[in-house]
Amino acid sequence: MTDSLANDATSNRPRTGRRPGNPDTRLRILTIARELFAQKGFDKTSVRSIATAAGVDPALVHHYFGTKRQLFIASIDIPVDPTQVIAPVLDRPTDEIGAHLARAIFSVWESPHRSAAVAAFRSALAGNEPNLIRTFLLEFVLRDLEPRIDEPPGTGKLRSQLVASQLAGVLVTRYILEFEPLASISLADLIEIVGPTLQRYLTGPLPD
């Protein structure tokens, strides 16, 4: 078979695998998803509503991004999946979670992902999109911990919000505003300082 015939035969073979998507369509979905998540929050934003606003079929949204949770992560450009970051913490005894949670979260910001994580947080703050940060912390980082810290019953949500307030405060002041000396202390010292506070919020007594 000559080279030209071989090339013709190859070109006529059916292509396999997922076809590359239209980058403009994908970007439009991401942009609209971010806007709706910021306006309505995660729970009140459906894949169908995002697809409708983007002028596409919901199946195309799933094709590009998978689940709604994966779409949210993509829309705020977080460099890692927070559910995977938090997974090892869930295996720890409840009375040891504080330090391990601090290590899991802050280690991402001390890793090569730091620039992307800071950019994502700064973008949400600059864009006046508090729902994005709230969803990230409460729905992705702390959601699976809440049933374990709901003691006495009915306090789990408050405990999660207190933990989120501590994490958000440290992330902003250390990595975005770069307060000194907080910005320069070691990761080990940061965990030693913040871990007990997180633990108190997770399992300590609350006002009646």
Side-chain angles (χ1 to χ4, degrees), residues 4-99:
S4 60
L5 289 176
N7 291 335
D8 289 343
T10 301
S11 63
N12 289 330
R13 291 172 186 166
R15 296 179 181 271
T16 59
R18 177 177 291 186
R19 295 180 179 178
N22 184 324
D24 293 336
T25 301
R26 188 179 188 280
L27 179 59
R28 184 166 73 253
I29 293 171
L30 276 179
T31 301
I32 290 173
R34 183 184 178 98
E35 292 174 355
L36 292 181
F37 285 135
Q39 292 170 8
K40 301 181 179 181
F42 183 78
D43 289 338
K44 295 182 179 179
T45 301
S46 67
V47 170
R48 182 172 295 278
S49 67
I50 293 170
T52 298
V56 300
D57 190 279
L60 187 60
V61 178
H62 289 296
H63 170 77
Y64 281 133
F65 302 104
T67 66
K68 186 171 79 166
R69 292 177 67 82
Q70 291 170 321
L71 173 58
F72 177 84
I73 292 171
S75 72
I76 61 175
D77 203 20
I78 297 176
V80 294
D81 185 339
T83 56
Q84 294 180 3
V85 172
I86 205 68
V89 180
L90 301 177
D91 295 330
R92 299 290 180 173
T94 304
D95 59 358
E96 299 177 5
I97 289 177

Side-chain angles (χ1 to χ4, degrees), residues 117-133:
V118 169
F121 234 66
R122 182 180 285 121
S123 176
L125 291 171
N128 193 25
E129 300 168 320
N131 268 335
L132 298 181
I133 296 177

Side-chain angles (χ1 to χ4, degrees), residues 103-182:
R103 179 175 290 104
I105 298 302
F106 299 140
S107 290
V108 173
W109 290 64
E110 297 290 337
S111 74
H113 296 302
R114 176 172 179 163
S115 295
V118 169
F121 234 66
R122 182 180 285 121
S123 176
L125 291 171
N128 193 25
E129 300 168 320
N131 268 335
L132 298 181
I133 296 177
R134 179 164 53 245
T135 295
F136 168 71
L137 290 173
L138 296 179
E139 296 295 332
F140 286 76
V141 174
L142 300 172
R143 185 190 66 168
D144 291 335
L145 278 176
E146 192 169 309
R148 295 184 56 187
I149 58 175
D150 191 33
E151 184 61 42
T155 63
K157 186 172 293 295
L158 174 59
R159 291 182 184 279
S160 290
Q161 291 174 356
L162 289 169
V163 170
S165 72
Q166 182 72 14
L167 291 175
V170 174
L171 292 176
V172 170
T173 53
R174 176 176 168 89
Y175 299 103
I176 295 178
L177 299 179
E178 298 184 340
F179 284 6
E180 292 292 355
L182 178 61

